[in-house]
Amino acid sequence: LTDVLEFRRVLFRSLLEREAESLEIPVRAESVSTEDEVGPALRRVLDGSDILLALPDPLVYNRNTIFNIILSSYQNRIPVIGFSASYVKAGAMLAVHSTPSDIGMHIAETIRQFIITGETGLPASAFPKYFSIEAKIEERRVGKDVEQCGSRIIKKKKEIEKEKERR
């Protein structure tokens, strides 16, 4: 189990860094190997950050650490973007997550495409195609940087999609 979690940490971090680089968004990341290292690493990440993006890592984000993470972020006026609706309930400004309906729709489309094309092998694994967004309305005043960052991401994503269409 530990090896699987470490593999996920490395995978998520490398994917995030690659995408952020393509969108020209700086990333401040820290690695921890124990729960006791979370606090000091969080202080280093929050120093100079505009947003804290929580990734699904049970060593970092769990019921023992989440309160202090959200409180520290709030005290530093750094909005937290979580990966489940419960993060918004806990105090995060925003959460991007896939509901069972979102995942079911993606699976149904994958199966339909699989049947139509007559492929014999399983499709490659992929992140969910559909997702939901939960937002804490009263925290939006903190989110000007989030709005600007989101606009840059959307603009860059459209540019990339147009470039792919031209090929």
Side-chain angles (χ1 to χ4, degrees):
L1 182 63
T2 305
D3 291 340
V4 171
L5 292 176
E6 184 59 29
F7 175 76
R8 284 181 52 194
R9 280 186 197 105
V10 171
L11 176 65
F12 281 151
R13 185 170 179 171
S14 65
L15 290 171
L16 174 65
E17 288 173 344
R18 186 182 73 212
E19 291 300 317
E21 183 179 326
S22 74
L23 298 169
E24 300 175 4
I25 298 172
V27 172
R28 297 176 60 100
E30 288 280 334
S31 295
V32 297
S33 54
T34 68
E35 200 173 285
D36 293 335
E37 297 172 357
V38 172
L42 176 65
R43 283 188 284 284
R44 291 189 297 272
V45 167
L46 292 178
D47 184 33
S49 293
D50 296 321
I51 296 170
L52 179 63
L53 177 63
L55 298 176
D57 183 341
L59 175 64
V60 177
Y61 299 98
N62 60 58
R63 65 179 168 185
N64 298 326
T65 62
I66 193 60
F67 177 77
N68 287 329
I69 290 171
I70 290 180
L71 182 62
S72 296
S73 299
Y74 188 79
Q75 289 171 336
N76 286 282
R77 300 186 55 82
I78 306 293
V80 176
I81 299 176
F83 52 87
S84 76
S86 61
Y87 275 73
V88 174
K89 291 176 187 152
M93 183 192 75
L94 179 71
V96 180
H97 61 97
S98 293
T99 65
S101 295
D102 295 330
I103 293 169
M105 191 163 35
H106 187 179
I107 290 171
E109 286 181 6
T110 302
I111 291 170
R112 187 178 318 116
Q113 189 64 27
F114 191 74
I115 291 169
I116 290 170
T117 61
E119 293 181 32
T120 57
L122 291 174
S125 62
F127 287 105
K129 183 176 177 181
Y130 302 104
F131 56 89
S132 299
I133 298 173
E134 303 280 333
K136 189 172 222 126
I137 305 298
E138 62 270 16
E139 297 300 321
R140 288 190 183 166
R141 59 180 164 63
V142 180
K144 284 195 177 198
D145 291 327
V146 174
E147 185 178 322
Q148 291 171 352
C149 180
S151 296
R152 284 178 40 202
I153 291 170
I154 290 168
K155 182 180 177 185
K156 189 70 171 181
K157 185 101 173 149
K158 287 179 181 176
E159 290 173 7
I160 292 168
E161 288 171 0
K162 284 182 183 177
E163 182 63 32
K164 285 181 182 177
E165 287 175 3
R166 280 187 239 157
R167 291 183 201 164

PDB file of all heavy atoms in Angstrom, residues 80-116:
ATOM      1  N   VAL A  80      -8.066  27.611  -0.476  1.00  0.00           N
ATOM      2  CA  VAL A  80      -7.810  26.184  -0.652  1.00  0.00           C
ATOM      3  C   VAL A  80      -8.766  25.646  -1.708  1.00  0.00           C
ATOM      4  O   VAL A  80      -9.960  25.926  -1.681  1.00  0.00           O
ATOM      5  CB  VAL A  80      -8.008  25.403   0.666  1.00  0.00           C
ATOM      6  CG1 VAL A  80      -7.830  23.903   0.448  1.00  0.00           C
ATOM      7  CG2 VAL A  80      -7.050  25.907   1.733  1.00  0.00           C
ATOM      8  N   ILE A  81      -8.226  24.870  -2.635  1.00  0.00           N
ATOM      9  CA  ILE A  81      -9.031  24.153  -3.615  1.00  0.00           C
ATOM     10  C   ILE A  81      -8.890  22.678  -3.286  1.00  0.00           C
ATOM     11  O   ILE A  81      -7.793  22.120  -3.334  1.00  0.00           O
ATOM     12  CB  ILE A  81      -8.567  24.443  -5.058  1.00  0.00           C
ATOM     13  CG1 ILE A  81      -8.701  25.932  -5.359  1.00  0.00           C
ATOM     14  CG2 ILE A  81      -9.375  23.601  -6.045  1.00  0.00           C
ATOM     15  CD1 ILE A  81      -8.182  26.346  -6.699  1.00  0.00           C
ATOM     16  N   GLY A  82     -10.010  22.052  -2.919  1.00  0.00           N
ATOM     17  CA  GLY A  82     -10.009  20.660  -2.505  1.00  0.00           C
ATOM     18  C   GLY A  82     -10.414  19.719  -3.618  1.00  0.00           C
ATOM     19  O   GLY A  82     -10.727  20.135  -4.729  1.00  0.00           O
ATOM     20  N   PHE A  83     -10.434  18.431  -3.283  1.00  0.00           N
ATOM     21  CA  PHE A  83     -10.758  17.400  -4.272  1.00  0.00           C
ATOM     22  C   PHE A  83     -12.027  16.640  -3.915  1.00  0.00           C
ATOM     23  O   PHE A  83     -12.323  15.609  -4.522  1.00  0.00           O
ATOM     24  CB  PHE A  83      -9.592  16.436  -4.465  1.00  0.00           C
ATOM     25  CG  PHE A  83      -9.060  15.839  -3.194  1.00  0.00           C
ATOM     26  CD1 PHE A  83      -9.613  14.683  -2.675  1.00  0.00           C
ATOM     27  CD2 PHE A  83      -8.035  16.452  -2.510  1.00  0.00           C
ATOM     28  CE1 PHE A  83      -9.143  14.132  -1.505  1.00  0.00           C
ATOM     29  CE2 PHE A  83      -7.542  15.906  -1.334  1.00  0.00           C
ATOM     30  CZ  PHE A  83      -8.098  14.751  -0.834  1.00  0.00           C
ATOM     31  N   SER A  84     -12.800  17.150  -2.952  1.00  0.00           N
ATOM     32  CA  SER A  84     -14.098  16.560  -2.641  1.00  0.00           C
ATOM     33  C   SER A  84     -14.991  17.629  -2.021  1.00  0.00           C
ATOM     34  O   SER A  84     -14.493  18.625  -1.483  1.00  0.00           O
ATOM     35  CB  SER A  84     -13.962  15.362  -1.704  1.00  0.00           C
ATOM     36  OG  SER A  84     -13.710  15.792  -0.384  1.00  0.00           O
ATOM     37  N   ALA A  85     -16.281  17.415  -2.101  1.00  0.00           N
ATOM     38  CA  ALA A  85     -17.240  18.381  -1.566  1.00  0.00           C
ATOM     39  C   ALA A  85     -17.034  18.601  -0.071  1.00  0.00           C
ATOM     40  O   ALA A  85     -17.286  19.694   0.450  1.00  0.00           O
ATOM     41  CB  ALA A  85     -18.663  17.925  -1.851  1.00  0.00           C
ATOM     42  N   SER A  86     -16.552  17.606   0.640  1.00  0.00           N
ATOM     43  CA  SER A  86     -16.345  17.746   2.079  1.00  0.00           C
ATOM     44  C   SER A  86     -15.298  18.811   2.408  1.00  0.00           C
ATOM     45  O   SER A  86     -15.312  19.377   3.499  1.00  0.00           O
ATOM     46  CB  SER A  86     -15.976  16.407   2.703  1.00  0.00           C
ATOM     47  OG  SER A  86     -14.789  15.913   2.165  1.00  0.00           O
ATOM     48  N   TYR A  87     -14.410  19.098   1.485  1.00  0.00           N
ATOM     49  CA  TYR A  87     -13.424  20.150   1.733  1.00  0.00           C
ATOM     50  C   TYR A  87     -14.097  21.509   1.832  1.00  0.00           C
ATOM     51  O   TYR A  87     -13.696  22.347   2.634  1.00  0.00           O
ATOM     52  CB  TYR A  87     -12.336  20.152   0.651  1.00  0.00           C
ATOM     53  CG  TYR A  87     -11.254  19.170   0.968  1.00  0.00           C
ATOM     54  CD1 TYR A  87     -11.477  17.809   0.834  1.00  0.00           C
ATOM     55  CD2 TYR A  87     -10.027  19.573   1.451  1.00  0.00           C
ATOM     56  CE1 TYR A  87     -10.519  16.884   1.157  1.00  0.00           C
ATOM     57  CE2 TYR A  87      -9.046  18.660   1.780  1.00  0.00           C
ATOM     58  CZ  TYR A  87      -9.298  17.315   1.635  1.00  0.00           C
ATOM     59  OH  TYR A  87      -8.338  16.405   1.979  1.00  0.00           O
ATOM     60  N   VAL A  88     -15.107  21.758   1.024  1.00  0.00           N
ATOM     61  CA  VAL A  88     -15.837  23.020   1.097  1.00  0.00           C
ATOM     62  C   VAL A  88     -16.551  23.106   2.441  1.00  0.00           C
ATOM     63  O   VAL A  88     -16.539  24.153   3.093  1.00  0.00           O
ATOM     64  CB  VAL A  88     -16.820  23.169  -0.083  1.00  0.00           C
ATOM     65  CG1 VAL A  88     -17.690  24.410   0.066  1.00  0.00           C
ATOM     66  CG2 VAL A  88     -16.044  23.227  -1.396  1.00  0.00           C
ATOM     67  N   LYS A  89     -17.137  22.024   2.886  1.00  0.00           N
ATOM     68  CA  LYS A  89     -17.796  22.003   4.193  1.00  0.00           C
ATOM     69  C   LYS A  89     -16.795  22.263   5.309  1.00  0.00           C
ATOM     70  O   LYS A  89     -17.129  22.852   6.331  1.00  0.00           O
ATOM     71  CB  LYS A  89     -18.501  20.666   4.422  1.00  0.00           C
ATOM     72  CG  LYS A  89     -19.697  20.464   3.522  1.00  0.00           C
ATOM     73  CD  LYS A  89     -20.312  19.092   3.707  1.00  0.00           C
ATOM     74  CE  LYS A  89     -21.385  18.877   2.663  1.00  0.00           C
ATOM     75  NZ  LYS A  89     -21.571  17.484   2.334  1.00  0.00           N
ATOM     76  N   ALA A  90     -15.541  21.812   5.129  1.00  0.00           N
ATOM     77  CA  ALA A  90     -14.496  22.001   6.136  1.00  0.00           C
ATOM     78  C   ALA A  90     -13.885  23.396   6.088  1.00  0.00           C
ATOM     79  O   ALA A  90     -13.143  23.771   6.985  1.00  0.00           O
ATOM     80  CB  ALA A  90     -13.409  20.954   5.957  1.00  0.00           C
ATOM     81  N   GLY A  91     -14.185  24.172   5.029  1.00  0.00           N
ATOM     82  CA  GLY A  91     -13.673  25.533   4.962  1.00  0.00           C
ATOM     83  C   GLY A  91     -12.927  25.892   3.698  1.00  0.00           C
ATOM     84  O   GLY A  91     -12.505  27.039   3.536  1.00  0.00           O
ATOM     85  N   ALA A  92     -12.723  24.961   2.790  1.00  0.00           N
ATOM     86  CA  ALA A  92     -12.048  25.291   1.531  1.00  0.00           C
ATOM     87  C   ALA A  92     -12.948  26.200   0.701  1.00  0.00           C
ATOM     88  O   ALA A  92     -14.175  26.147   0.801  1.00  0.00           O
ATOM     89  CB  ALA A  92     -11.727  24.023   0.742  1.00  0.00           C
ATOM     90  N   MET A  93     -12.349  27.049  -0.106  1.00  0.00           N
ATOM     91  CA  MET A  93     -13.111  27.965  -0.939  1.00  0.00           C
ATOM     92  C   MET A  93     -13.804  27.239  -2.082  1.00  0.00           C
ATOM     93  O   MET A  93     -14.885  27.596  -2.495  1.00  0.00           O
ATOM     94  CB  MET A  93     -12.191  29.036  -1.510  1.00  0.00           C
ATOM     95  CG  MET A  93     -12.932  30.065  -2.338  1.00  0.00           C
ATOM     96  SD  MET A  93     -11.838  31.103  -3.276  1.00  0.00           S
ATOM     97  CE  MET A  93     -11.360  29.996  -4.557  1.00  0.00           C
ATOM     98  N   LEU A  94     -13.172  26.188  -2.570  1.00  0.00           N
ATOM     99  CA  LEU A  94     -13.629  25.541  -3.786  1.00  0.00           C
ATOM    100  C   LEU A  94     -13.204  24.077  -3.774  1.00  0.00           C
ATOM    101  O   LEU A  94     -12.179  23.738  -3.204  1.00  0.00           O
ATOM    102  CB  LEU A  94     -12.968  26.268  -4.971  1.00  0.00           C
ATOM    103  CG  LEU A  94     -13.202  25.832  -6.382  1.00  0.00           C
ATOM    104  CD1 LEU A  94     -14.629  26.162  -6.805  1.00  0.00           C
ATOM    105  CD2 LEU A  94     -12.236  26.568  -7.296  1.00  0.00           C
ATOM    106  N   ALA A  95     -14.000  23.240  -4.405  1.00  0.00           N
ATOM    107  CA  ALA A  95     -13.615  21.841  -4.587  1.00  0.00           C
ATOM    108  C   ALA A  95     -14.007  21.403  -5.987  1.00  0.00           C
ATOM    109  O   ALA A  95     -15.094  21.723  -6.466  1.00  0.00           O
ATOM    110  CB  ALA A  95     -14.287  20.942  -3.548  1.00  0.00           C
ATOM    111  N   VAL A  96     -13.106  20.712  -6.627  1.00  0.00           N
ATOM    112  CA  VAL A  96     -13.360  20.132  -7.942  1.00  0.00           C
ATOM    113  C   VAL A  96     -13.306  18.625  -7.736  1.00  0.00           C
ATOM    114  O   VAL A  96     -12.299  18.091  -7.264  1.00  0.00           O
ATOM    115  CB  VAL A  96     -12.288  20.577  -8.967  1.00  0.00           C
ATOM    116  CG1 VAL A  96     -12.560  19.958 -10.324  1.00  0.00           C
ATOM    117  CG2 VAL A  96     -12.231  22.095  -9.058  1.00  0.00           C
ATOM    118  N   HIS A  97     -14.411  17.953  -8.066  1.00  0.00           N
ATOM    119  CA  HIS A  97     -14.484  16.521  -7.797  1.00  0.00           C
ATOM    120  C   HIS A  97     -15.439  15.859  -8.774  1.00  0.00           C
ATOM    121  O   HIS A  97     -16.261  16.516  -9.407  1.00  0.00           O
ATOM    122  CB  HIS A  97     -14.947  16.269  -6.357  1.00  0.00           C
ATOM    123  CG  HIS A  97     -16.310  16.829  -6.088  1.00  0.00           C
ATOM    124  ND1 HIS A  97     -17.445  16.069  -6.140  1.00  0.00           N
ATOM    125  CD2 HIS A  97     -16.715  18.087  -5.791  1.00  0.00           C
ATOM    126  CE1 HIS A  97     -18.493  16.824  -5.879  1.00  0.00           C
ATOM    127  NE2 HIS A  97     -18.080  18.058  -5.665  1.00  0.00           N
ATOM    128  N   SER A  98     -15.308  14.575  -8.893  1.00  0.00           N
ATOM    129  CA  SER A  98     -16.221  13.794  -9.735  1.00  0.00           C
ATOM    130  C   SER A  98     -17.204  13.061  -8.836  1.00  0.00           C
ATOM    131  O   SER A  98     -16.801  12.355  -7.913  1.00  0.00           O
ATOM    132  CB  SER A  98     -15.449  12.797 -10.597  1.00  0.00           C
ATOM    133  OG  SER A  98     -14.665  13.495 -11.539  1.00  0.00           O
ATOM    134  N   THR A  99     -18.483  13.239  -9.127  1.00  0.00           N
ATOM    135  CA  THR A  99     -19.531  12.538  -8.387  1.00  0.00           C
ATOM    136  C   THR A  99     -19.693  11.146  -8.994  1.00  0.00           C
ATOM    137  O   THR A  99     -19.214  10.890 -10.110  1.00  0.00           O
ATOM    138  CB  THR A  99     -20.865  13.292  -8.497  1.00  0.00           C
ATOM    139  OG1 THR A  99     -21.291  13.273  -9.871  1.00  0.00           O
ATOM    140  CG2 THR A  99     -20.753  14.728  -7.996  1.00  0.00           C
ATOM    141  N   PRO A 100     -20.390  10.257  -8.303  1.00  0.00           N
ATOM    142  CA  PRO A 100     -20.670   8.952  -8.914  1.00  0.00           C
ATOM    143  C   PRO A 100     -21.384   9.089 -10.265  1.00  0.00           C
ATOM    144  O   PRO A 100     -21.099   8.336 -11.194  1.00  0.00           O
ATOM    145  CB  PRO A 100     -21.548   8.251  -7.869  1.00  0.00           C
ATOM    146  CG  PRO A 100     -21.086   8.834  -6.570  1.00  0.00           C
ATOM    147  CD  PRO A 100     -20.803  10.284  -6.891  1.00  0.00           C
ATOM    148  N   SER A 101     -22.273  10.076 -10.401  1.00  0.00           N
ATOM    149  CA  SER A 101     -22.952  10.301 -11.689  1.00  0.00           C
ATOM    150  C   SER A 101     -21.963  10.716 -12.772  1.00  0.00           C
ATOM    151  O   SER A 101     -22.059  10.265 -13.916  1.00  0.00           O
ATOM    152  CB  SER A 101     -24.026  11.376 -11.550  1.00  0.00           C
ATOM    153  OG  SER A 101     -25.048  10.939 -10.698  1.00  0.00           O
ATOM    154  N   ASP A 102     -21.022  11.597 -12.415  1.00  0.00           N
ATOM    155  CA  ASP A 102     -19.997  12.026 -13.372  1.00  0.00           C
ATOM    156  C   ASP A 102     -19.181  10.826 -13.856  1.00  0.00           C
ATOM    157  O   ASP A 102     -18.949  10.646 -15.051  1.00  0.00           O
ATOM    158  CB  ASP A 102     -19.036  13.045 -12.732  1.00  0.00           C
ATOM    159  CG  ASP A 102     -19.687  14.354 -12.350  1.00  0.00           C
ATOM    160  OD1 ASP A 102     -20.668  14.754 -13.013  1.00  0.00           O
ATOM    161  OD2 ASP A 102     -19.205  14.983 -11.387  1.00  0.00           O
ATOM    162  N   ILE A 103     -18.756  10.004 -12.910  1.00  0.00           N
ATOM    163  CA  ILE A 103     -17.943   8.839 -13.259  1.00  0.00           C
ATOM    164  C   ILE A 103     -18.764   7.839 -14.067  1.00  0.00           C
ATOM    165  O   ILE A 103     -18.282   7.272 -15.051  1.00  0.00           O
ATOM    166  CB  ILE A 103     -17.353   8.204 -11.986  1.00  0.00           C
ATOM    167  CG1 ILE A 103     -16.351   9.183 -11.361  1.00  0.00           C
ATOM    168  CG2 ILE A 103     -16.683   6.867 -12.296  1.00  0.00           C
ATOM    169  CD1 ILE A 103     -15.877   8.805  -9.975  1.00  0.00           C
ATOM    170  N   GLY A 104     -20.026   7.638 -13.667  1.00  0.00           N
ATOM    171  CA  GLY A 104     -20.895   6.721 -14.402  1.00  0.00           C
ATOM    172  C   GLY A 104     -21.093   7.147 -15.846  1.00  0.00           C
ATOM    173  O   GLY A 104     -21.085   6.311 -16.765  1.00  0.00           O
ATOM    174  N   MET A 105     -21.264   8.462 -16.080  1.00  0.00           N
ATOM    175  CA  MET A 105     -21.438   8.965 -17.437  1.00  0.00           C
ATOM    176  C   MET A 105     -20.170   8.716 -18.263  1.00  0.00           C
ATOM    177  O   MET A 105     -20.250   8.297 -19.422  1.00  0.00           O
ATOM    178  CB  MET A 105     -21.777  10.459 -17.409  1.00  0.00           C
ATOM    179  CG  MET A 105     -22.232  11.002 -18.732  1.00  0.00           C
ATOM    180  SD  MET A 105     -23.090  12.602 -18.703  1.00  0.00           S
ATOM    181  CE  MET A 105     -22.306  13.509 -17.417  1.00  0.00           C
ATOM    182  N   HIS A 106     -19.016   8.923 -17.653  1.00  0.00           N
ATOM    183  CA  HIS A 106     -17.752   8.695 -18.355  1.00  0.00           C
ATOM    184  C   HIS A 106     -17.591   7.211 -18.698  1.00  0.00           C
ATOM    185  O   HIS A 106     -17.200   6.850 -19.816  1.00  0.00           O
ATOM    186  CB  HIS A 106     -16.596   9.187 -17.493  1.00  0.00           C
ATOM    187  CG  HIS A 106     -15.274   9.156 -18.175  1.00  0.00           C
ATOM    188  ND1 HIS A 106     -14.127   9.576 -17.573  1.00  0.00           N
ATOM    189  CD2 HIS A 106     -14.880   8.747 -19.410  1.00  0.00           C
ATOM    190  CE1 HIS A 106     -13.103   9.432 -18.390  1.00  0.00           C
ATOM    191  NE2 HIS A 106     -13.539   8.929 -19.504  1.00  0.00           N
ATOM    192  N   ILE A 107     -17.912   6.349 -17.745  1.00  0.00           N
ATOM    193  CA  ILE A 107     -17.809   4.902 -17.991  1.00  0.00           C
ATOM    194  C   ILE A 107     -18.765   4.478 -19.104  1.00  0.00           C
ATOM    195  O   ILE A 107     -18.392   3.699 -19.993  1.00  0.00           O
ATOM    196  CB  ILE A 107     -18.076   4.113 -16.692  1.00  0.00           C
ATOM    197  CG1 ILE A 107     -16.918   4.318 -15.719  1.00  0.00           C
ATOM    198  CG2 ILE A 107     -18.281   2.630 -16.986  1.00  0.00           C
ATOM    199  CD1 ILE A 107     -17.174   3.776 -14.332  1.00  0.00           C
ATOM    200  N   ALA A 108     -19.995   5.001 -19.065  1.00  0.00           N
ATOM    201  CA  ALA A 108     -20.973   4.645 -20.107  1.00  0.00           C
ATOM    202  C   ALA A 108     -20.472   5.064 -21.486  1.00  0.00           C
ATOM    203  O   ALA A 108     -20.578   4.296 -22.451  1.00  0.00           O
ATOM    204  CB  ALA A 108     -22.319   5.299 -19.804  1.00  0.00           C
ATOM    205  N   GLU A 109     -19.903   6.262 -21.594  1.00  0.00           N
ATOM    206  CA  GLU A 109     -19.359   6.720 -22.878  1.00  0.00           C
ATOM    207  C   GLU A 109     -18.199   5.842 -23.325  1.00  0.00           C
ATOM    208  O   GLU A 109     -18.067   5.530 -24.507  1.00  0.00           O
ATOM    209  CB  GLU A 109     -18.917   8.176 -22.780  1.00  0.00           C
ATOM    210  CG  GLU A 109     -20.059   9.149 -22.740  1.00  0.00           C
ATOM    211  CD  GLU A 109     -19.578  10.590 -22.678  1.00  0.00           C
ATOM    212  OE1 GLU A 109     -18.353  10.839 -22.774  1.00  0.00           O
ATOM    213  OE2 GLU A 109     -20.442  11.465 -22.540  1.00  0.00           O
ATOM    214  N   THR A 110     -17.358   5.453 -22.386  1.00  0.00           N
ATOM    215  CA  THR A 110     -16.209   4.608 -22.712  1.00  0.00           C
ATOM    216  C   THR A 110     -16.680   3.249 -23.226  1.00  0.00           C
ATOM    217  O   THR A 110     -16.166   2.743 -24.229  1.00  0.00           O
ATOM    218  CB  THR A 110     -15.296   4.436 -21.477  1.00  0.00           C
ATOM    219  OG1 THR A 110     -14.872   5.733 -21.035  1.00  0.00           O
ATOM    220  CG2 THR A 110     -14.086   3.588 -21.799  1.00  0.00           C
ATOM    221  N   ILE A 111     -17.670   2.676 -22.553  1.00  0.00           N
ATOM    222  CA  ILE A 111     -18.207   1.379 -22.983  1.00  0.00           C
ATOM    223  C   ILE A 111     -18.861   1.500 -24.356  1.00  0.00           C
ATOM    224  O   ILE A 111     -18.650   0.658 -25.234  1.00  0.00           O
ATOM    225  CB  ILE A 111     -19.206   0.832 -21.934  1.00  0.00           C
ATOM    226  CG1 ILE A 111     -18.452   0.449 -20.658  1.00  0.00           C
ATOM    227  CG2 ILE A 111     -19.988  -0.351 -22.489  1.00  0.00           C
ATOM    228  CD1 ILE A 111     -19.348   0.130 -19.477  1.00  0.00           C
ATOM    229  N   ARG A 112     -19.641   2.571 -24.556  1.00  0.00           N
ATOM    230  CA  ARG A 112     -20.296   2.791 -25.855  1.00  0.00           C
ATOM    231  C   ARG A 112     -19.243   2.883 -26.962  1.00  0.00           C
ATOM    232  O   ARG A 112     -19.367   2.247 -28.001  1.00  0.00           O
ATOM    233  CB  ARG A 112     -21.137   4.065 -25.806  1.00  0.00           C
ATOM    234  CG  ARG A 112     -21.975   4.280 -27.050  1.00  0.00           C
ATOM    235  CD  ARG A 112     -22.870   5.530 -27.002  1.00  0.00           C
ATOM    236  NE  ARG A 112     -23.517   5.733 -25.710  1.00  0.00           N
ATOM    237  CZ  ARG A 112     -23.296   6.793 -24.907  1.00  0.00           C
ATOM    238  NH1 ARG A 112     -22.480   7.739 -25.271  1.00  0.00           N
ATOM    239  NH2 ARG A 112     -23.919   6.913 -23.763  1.00  0.00           N
ATOM    240  N   GLN A 113     -18.200   3.641 -26.728  1.00  0.00           N
ATOM    241  CA  GLN A 113     -17.132   3.796 -27.721  1.00  0.00           C
ATOM    242  C   GLN A 113     -16.418   2.466 -27.947  1.00  0.00           C
ATOM    243  O   GLN A 113     -16.072   2.125 -29.076  1.00  0.00           O
ATOM    244  CB  GLN A 113     -16.142   4.873 -27.263  1.00  0.00           C
ATOM    245  CG  GLN A 113     -15.123   5.254 -28.302  1.00  0.00           C
ATOM    246  CD  GLN A 113     -15.763   5.901 -29.517  1.00  0.00           C
ATOM    247  OE1 GLN A 113     -16.830   6.515 -29.449  1.00  0.00           O
ATOM    248  NE2 GLN A 113     -15.109   5.761 -30.659  1.00  0.00           N
ATOM    249  N   PHE A 114     -16.237   1.717 -26.900  1.00  0.00           N
ATOM    250  CA  PHE A 114     -15.593   0.408 -26.970  1.00  0.00           C
ATOM    251  C   PHE A 114     -16.401  -0.538 -27.863  1.00  0.00           C
ATOM    252  O   PHE A 114     -15.853  -1.241 -28.704  1.00  0.00           O
ATOM    253  CB  PHE A 114     -15.481  -0.142 -25.544  1.00  0.00           C
ATOM    254  CG  PHE A 114     -14.625  -1.362 -25.397  1.00  0.00           C
ATOM    255  CD1 PHE A 114     -13.252  -1.279 -25.472  1.00  0.00           C
ATOM    256  CD2 PHE A 114     -15.206  -2.597 -25.145  1.00  0.00           C
ATOM    257  CE1 PHE A 114     -12.458  -2.407 -25.316  1.00  0.00           C
ATOM    258  CE2 PHE A 114     -14.432  -3.724 -24.990  1.00  0.00           C
ATOM    259  CZ  PHE A 114     -13.048  -3.627 -25.071  1.00  0.00           C
ATOM    260  N   ILE A 115     -17.720  -0.509 -27.689  1.00  0.00           N
ATOM    261  CA  ILE A 115     -18.602  -1.365 -28.489  1.00  0.00           C
ATOM    262  C   ILE A 115     -18.633  -0.901 -29.949  1.00  0.00           C
ATOM    263  O   ILE A 115     -18.543  -1.711 -30.866  1.00  0.00           O
ATOM    264  CB  ILE A 115     -20.030  -1.382 -27.889  1.00  0.00           C
ATOM    265  CG1 ILE A 115     -20.008  -2.118 -26.544  1.00  0.00           C
ATOM    266  CG2 ILE A 115     -21.023  -2.024 -28.842  1.00  0.00           C
ATOM    267  CD1 ILE A 115     -21.281  -1.986 -25.737  1.00  0.00           C
ATOM    268  N   ILE A 116     -18.732   0.398 -30.166  1.00  0.00           N
ATOM    269  CA  ILE A 116     -18.812   0.943 -31.527  1.00  0.00           C
ATOM    270  C   ILE A 116     -17.552   0.629 -32.326  1.00  0.00           C
ATOM    271  O   ILE A 116     -17.621   0.225 -33.482  1.00  0.00           O
ATOM    272  CB  ILE A 116     -19.060   2.467 -31.490  1.00  0.00           C
ATOM    273  CG1 ILE A 116     -20.481   2.751 -30.987  1.00  0.00           C
ATOM    274  CG2 ILE A 116     -18.836   3.108 -32.852  1.00  0.00           C
ATOM    275  CD1 ILE A 116     -20.737   4.215 -30.690  1.00  0.00           C
TER     276      ILE A 116
END
